[in-house]
Amino acid sequence: VVPFLPPGVGICGVFPRRLSHFSSLHKISYTTTLLVGTPVLLITFIVGLVISVFQAATQIHEMTLTFIPKILAAIIALFIFGSWMMIKLVDYTRENFNLIASLLK
């Protein structure tokens, strides 16, 4: 049995307009995660693919040959894209704090 709820209040006691804030927060968090993680992952993937083709062509199967260039590529990618990634994360955090403040009003 569902108790009587005042108009505009959902079953969980959350106003429907606040639920739309949470769904937009989900979408923004996924987008930010993809944007921030993609440059480093993509560059590391490309370097790993090039090294795999090199290893297949030369039949050199040294384990350290795969790890060291990928680590160096990830560090270089962080130096190149680090400031942009930090700006995106700070903007995301600021937007979350503004959303929390608007929910408490």
Side-chain angles (χ1 to χ4, degrees):
V1 175
V2 178
F4 174 76
L5 296 172
V9 176
I11 293 176
C12 298
V14 179
F15 287 96
R17 71 174 176 84
R18 291 184 181 175
L19 288 176
S20 68
H21 287 304
F22 289 123
S23 65
S24 67
L25 180 64
H26 255 6
K27 187 185 299 183
I28 293 169
S29 65
Y30 288 137
T31 305
T32 303
T33 303
L34 286 174
L35 281 175
V36 168
T38 299
V40 175
L41 290 174
L42 190 63
I43 289 173
T44 307
F45 172 73
I46 291 170
V47 168
L49 189 65
V50 168
I51 292 187
S52 295
V53 169
F54 174 74
Q55 281 183 328
T58 61
Q59 295 184 355
I60 299 174
H61 297 290
E62 180 65 31
M63 292 302 291
T64 58
L65 187 62
T66 60
F67 290 118
I68 294 173
K70 286 195 280 187
I71 290 171
L72 291 176
I75 290 171
I76 291 170
L78 283 174
F79 277 122
I80 293 171
F81 295 106
S83 62
W84 174 79
M85 293 164 75
M86 186 59 74
I87 289 170
K88 284 290 184 188
L89 289 174
V90 167
D91 289 343
Y92 171 71
T93 305
R94 189 175 294 134
E95 190 170 337
N96 278 343
F97 285 142
N98 288 336
L99 180 65
I100 290 169
S102 70
L103 287 175
L104 295 177
K105 289 182 180 179

